[in-house]
Amino acid sequence: MERLDKFISERTELSRKDVKTALKKGEVRVNGKAVKDPAQKISPENDTVEINGKKLIYKPHTYIMLNKPDGYVCSTRDGLSETVLGLVPDELRVKGLFPAGRLDKDSRGFVFLTDDGALAHRILSPKKHLTKYYLVKLWEEYKTEYEKAFSDGLVIDGDEKCLPAKVSPITHDKKYALVGLCEGKFHQVKIMFQAVGNRVEVLFRVQIGGLPIDGNLAPGECLELLNNDVEKMLSEVGFKDVLKSVEKDFWAYLINNKL
Ligand code: URA
């Protein structure tokens, strides 16, 4: 059981004070009856709460797939740049929403946003080995020697050893590659390619764990994910399978996202 004012303020933009005012005005109904007591206990799973006739849907957590465009920072607040939170439509905005994992300001693609801290930890912790996949456009053509260097674990920034990572060229164009890694050091993919003498021109995250970015999602658009999408994300798939599907959708990725 949960206090009514807490339940409402956690699921709307309203502060506890605003909720009190709405209650006083008779704008809140529980199971069809007007309620004025902010301390009334409700069962989020069983009771229907309406505010101004709008039903508050009980969802323990919110999960969002965003196709991040260039120019947005992956944080909840930034004094200078627009953040990815600004791209989330009002109906999906809940308190405590944050991007679980960062892409650089100029990187693009799949950003997962949630208000579920425990799930974010499962996705981000290198110990959980959930692979993130990046389609990168390189300045110089791909060299096969990258595969061994990446799988041995590159040393970057002087003394930091990366976990083993997978990399493969995209058969359609030698300037594109797919990278799979399960950690997220600062600028990691860019620094790894610098370490082998190349440079990343464009970086697009195509997949997190077993869940690819929705090919119909335009840059800047969000999609609410369901529990089974999250399950799919948490399931591991083989690098070769991801490569196969990225190669199949390669041109669509390039055209939709101007990569
Ligand atoms: N690696 C990078 O270099 N940048 C990103 O945004 C993500 C991974």
Side-chain angles (χ1 to χ4, degrees), residues 102-104 107 134 185-191 203:
R102 289 173 182 230
L103 286 181
D104 299 333
S107 297
Y134 303 88
K185 298 187 200 296
F186 192 52
H187 299 324
Q188 186 165 350
V189 175
K190 291 174 186 161
I191 295 173
L203 185 149

Side-chain angles (χ1 to χ4, degrees), residues 112-126:
F112 177 66
L113 296 116
T114 185
D115 56 349
D116 183 344
L119 175 68
H121 178 72
R122 272 177 80 185
I123 290 167
L124 298 177
S125 166

Side-chain angles (χ1 to χ4, degrees), residues 69-115:
D70 184 9
Y72 288 79
V73 293
C74 280
S75 71
T76 48
R77 229 178 274 170
D78 189 282
L80 300 173
S81 310
E82 292 195 78
T83 72
V84 289
L85 280 189
L87 295 166
V88 177
D90 286 348
E91 66 275 16
L92 292 180
R93 265 184 217 203
V94 289
K95 286 207 177 110
L97 195 65
F98 67 101
R102 289 173 182 230
L103 286 181
D104 299 333
K105 187 173 172 185
D106 65 349
S107 297
R108 314 189 221 162
F110 190 171
V111 172
F112 177 66
L113 296 116
T114 185
D115 56 349

